[in-house]
Amino acid sequence: MSDTSDAPDTPDTPTPDTSDTSDLAARAARLDAADELAFVRDRFVLDDDVVYLDGNSLGALPRAVPGRLAEVVEHEWGRLGIRSWEESGWWTAPERIGDRIAPLVGAGPGQVVVGDSTSVNVFKALVGAVRIAHADGPGRDEILVDAGTFPTDGYIAGSAARLTGCRVRAVPADRIAAEAGPRTAVALVNHVDFRTGRLYDLPGITAAVRAAGALAVWDLCHSAGALPVELAAHGVDFAVGCTYKFLNGGPGAPAYLYVRPGLQRWFDSPLPGWNSHAEPFAMAADYAPAEGAPRGRVGTPDILSMLALEAALGVWDGVRIEAVRAKSLALTDFFLECVARYVPAGLVESLTPDAHAERGSQVSLRCAEAEKAMPELIRRGVVGDVRRPDVLRFGFTPLYTSFAEVRRAARVIGEVLS
């Protein structure tokens, strides 16, 4: 799709007044020329005719992945077969890849294990946290849950509560710090709200929950890979996250689990599979948990998707997460400015906070015609998604999104909504 001038006016299709937008293209060019991360874009397979703003649902394909998958299938599986568990390092992949993710979430070696889905890891973390809380004494029978959480987290919390004799109490995420009390066993919080893109105060909420004698479990699905997280520095107890959004691991890529080092020996996983046994090949009838990160494993790792993720993580070589955050804020600032200039007043309302301290790496626009508008945006080469009933959602992946694309996307939004 060429970046041409706006379509001509028609009597019954008003267009926004773009007479004052001539500076935006020049500014986008200057920002792209100064972009510290511009070199990373070539590490992805991208369509120059498409502005891809859905990396907060599924990241773009890293160029290294197809070749690596072919090698795994043709050589490691096809020729070596079962020998690859040792000779190709398949057995140690969950911890090895966890160590690759660890710096992106502010964790150390041996603190992150990769495997299973986010939902499964939320379940492990919640039940494990409640068991630790119960071991400290009776009376903690409450799981606090972010009231705006992604639905699955709420479903899992309800199941964990039924299994552990707790009750779930849903409160707004920004009230969790104040609501945590003597009955709270654990709080489950999303770092970034999936609908609005609001970033919550991980250090402050974690400290308040800990001060109340409870534990905190953080869902990092919409923050890891988009901004600094610093799990160890802020004393986070448990964290989980997916790898197919800002970490670009591919559809259905395995998730990860973080357990604070001081809690690892007390972590009693509700899913004690043979892979997390201290001697997995002893095939013992009694369970003895492994030490460290392997305690978070369950069953046989999903090797194909896991090794695709490992190859995908190569895009982070030479990338500073601080530079990613700086560009994320610059991209979203510029997008909001362009939307204000290209989209007629009153057609959209930003649900994403203006304050940098409260913004993730997405912008959500409330729009009455959202469900009709997004298919047309996609047809015109601007890919985002919709959250019903009326939210247009756009994710900004700093590793491959340019400022020129941001301007183009806002201009097309203005055309479609007009």
Side-chain angles (χ1 to χ4, degrees):
M1 182 175 182
S2 60
D3 192 5
T4 58
S5 61
D6 296 332
D9 294 351
T10 62
D12 45 18
T13 307
T15 58
D17 178 7
T18 59
S19 60
D20 61 346
T21 61
S22 58
D23 62 312
L24 294 177
R27 282 181 51 207
R30 289 195 299 271
L31 289 165
D32 283 330
D35 180 11
E36 175 183 334
L37 300 176
F39 74 98
V40 186
R41 182 179 170 90
D42 288 339
R43 296 177 178 178
F44 291 88
V45 177
L46 298 166
D47 183 345
D48 289 337
D49 291 331
V50 172
V51 181
Y52 189 69
L53 299 180
D54 213 7
N56 55 329
S57 282
L58 177 64
L61 171 65
R63 290 188 184 277
V65 171
R68 176 61 179 135
L69 273 179
E71 178 186 23
V72 172
V73 171
E74 295 169 8
H75 177 68
E76 295 181 11
W77 180 13
R79 296 188 180 187
L80 297 181
I82 200 167
R83 293 160 52 194
S84 279
W85 285 106
E86 294 294 336
E87 294 181 26
S88 301
W90 286 4
W91 183 258
T92 58
E95 295 81 55
R96 182 178 72 244
I97 302 170
D99 285 347
R100 289 291 301 273
I101 292 173
L104 299 176
V105 295
Q111 296 173 14
V112 178
V113 65
V114 171
D116 305 310
S117 67
T118 305
S119 302
V120 171
N121 285 320
V122 169
F123 180 73
K124 295 179 202 172
L126 277 181
V127 175
V130 171
R131 287 174 173 174
I132 292 171
H134 284 178
D136 288 339
R140 295 194 176 272
D141 60 356
E142 174 183 83
I143 298 176
L144 290 183
V145 176
D146 167 5
T149 191
F150 189 78
T152 295
D153 284 14
Y155 307 154
I156 295 293
S159 178
R162 292 190 295 274
L163 288 170
T164 57
C166 290
R167 68 186 182 102
V168 172
R169 186 158 67 94
V171 298
D174 57 4
R175 291 288 305 161
I176 285 179
E179 295 285 343
R183 296 187 63 175
T184 306
V186 58
L188 172 62
V189 199
N190 286 262
H191 198 191
V192 173
D193 187 287
F194 78 100
R195 288 188 182 88
T196 67
R198 180 175 179 181
L199 172 67
Y200 288 105
D201 179 11
L202 181 146
I205 294 174
T206 298
V209 170
R210 293 280 298 279
L215 300 173
V217 176
W218 284 90
D219 184 327
L220 307 179
C221 286
H222 288 270
S223 59
L227 53 92
V229 178
E230 301 300 336
L231 295 177
H234 299 308
V236 170
D237 300 304
F238 292 86
V240 302
C242 65
T243 61
Y244 47 79
K245 301 183 191 295
F246 293 110
L247 295 181
N248 310 292
Y256 56 90
L257 169 68
Y258 164 85
V259 181
R260 180 162 58 85
L263 294 178
Q264 286 184 354
R265 63 177 296 197
W266 307 110
F267 174 50
D268 180 9
S269 173
L271 298 172
W274 76 283
N275 259 234
S276 63
H277 197 284
E279 296 185 63
F281 292 98
M283 301 300 170
D286 296 326
Y287 180 72
E291 295 295 325
R295 189 173 291 204
R297 295 173 64 156
V298 183
T300 304
D302 41 354
I303 289 298
L304 294 182
S305 59
M306 192 165 287
L307 297 185
L309 167 62
E310 185 173 33
L313 291 171
V315 300
W316 290 93
D317 291 346
V319 173
R320 297 184 307 111
I321 193 65
E322 295 79 11
V324 171
R325 177 58 170 164
K327 184 178 177 184
S328 165
L329 292 172
L331 285 167
T332 50
D333 277 344
F334 189 56
F335 179 70
L336 287 167
E337 180 182 351
C338 289
V339 166
R341 303 272 291 276
Y342 282 118
V343 180
L347 295 186
V348 297
E349 172 197 0
S350 175
L351 301 179
T352 304
D354 291 331
H356 286 181
E358 298 179 359
R359 187 193 306 165
S361 199
Q362 74 180 55
V363 173
S364 295
L365 302 176
R366 175 171 285 143
C367 171
E369 299 296 322
E371 292 193 68
K372 294 180 181 178
M374 184 53 69
E376 180 62 16
L377 289 172
I378 293 172
R379 189 184 72 81
R380 297 190 185 205
V382 175
V383 178
D385 62 24
V386 172
R387 286 295 175 261
R388 294 179 179 176
D390 59 356
V391 176
L392 296 171
R393 203 175 65 140
F394 302 97
F396 297 81
T397 305
L399 299 186
Y400 54 75
T401 304
S402 72
F403 290 90
E405 289 178 315
V406 165
R407 184 191 75 88
R408 174 181 155 195
R411 180 176 58 79
V412 174
I413 293 169
E415 292 173 359
V416 169
L417 295 184
S418 294

